[in-house]
Amino acid sequence: MREGDEWVDDTAGGGAGDGGVPEQRRSGEPVGDVYEWFRRGVKLLAQGNPAAAEQLLARAAAVEPSSRSIREALARAQYDAGSYAAALENFRAVALADPSDDYAQFGWGVAAARLGDFETSAEHLALAVAMRPDTDHYRAALRQTRATLAARAGAFGPLLPGAPGYLEPPAGAEHPREDRASGPEPGTTAGPEPTGERDRRDG
């Protein structure tokens, strides 16, 4: 979901065999300890192997379920692998553990959008934008979700103030109407990939 992450370890070998499959012992358990699984999982994710990354990170999360760093990395891998419901649950767990984690709120929002829950998406993307208003991809994701909500509501009349996705009309407008030109068609679940860099702190 994002490159340049400070977690990425550039040591030789990469911890994966041919095709990005994590190295395993004969028992089927990945080689190394939890920290090694985490490092190698994040590296696989950065290299574009989210399914292989998910295997390692899921193993690490099972051993250290309270680690926000592992849960977030697992959520990113699940999102990139198309497992949006699982990604949402892990982003949600991180956000509930630390509501001030803007990236977890963002991940929760875009995963919800992929699942068609645009009301939840708008709520959590708005929180992410409020915490990091200078982050372009946060704002773009919120605009797209709000446009989808407005387009859906347009079939039943204009949105009322305070409704999810309501957009304030321009100052002085006599007959405000929702702008649906730039948003996706009703029913569209596509959302922006949760990409972008930000400083991370281990949880």
Side-chain angles (χ1 to χ4, degrees), residues 86-156:
L88 186 150
E89 286 306 311
N90 280 301
F91 279 127
R92 179 178 180 272
V94 176
L96 291 177
D98 180 9
S100 67
D101 188 322
D102 59 281
Y103 189 77
Q105 298 285 357
F106 171 68
W108 188 349
V110 291
R114 288 285 186 171
L115 294 167
D117 185 355
F118 291 98
E119 289 80 7
T120 296
S121 176
E123 176 185 351
H124 293 284
L125 291 173
L127 287 171
V129 170
M131 287 185 267
R132 292 286 297 273
D134 58 333
T135 306
D136 290 342
H137 58 280
Y138 286 11
R139 296 198 310 269
L142 180 58
R143 282 195 303 270
Q144 186 166 346
T145 285
R146 284 178 168 171
T148 300
L149 284 168
R152 286 183 166 185
F156 305 99

Side-chain angles (χ1 to χ4, degrees), residues 13-34:
D18 293 340
V21 177
E23 294 178 6
Q24 296 181 343
R25 299 186 179 94
R26 288 185 179 179
S27 66
E29 183 177 274
V31 174
D33 58 15
V34 172

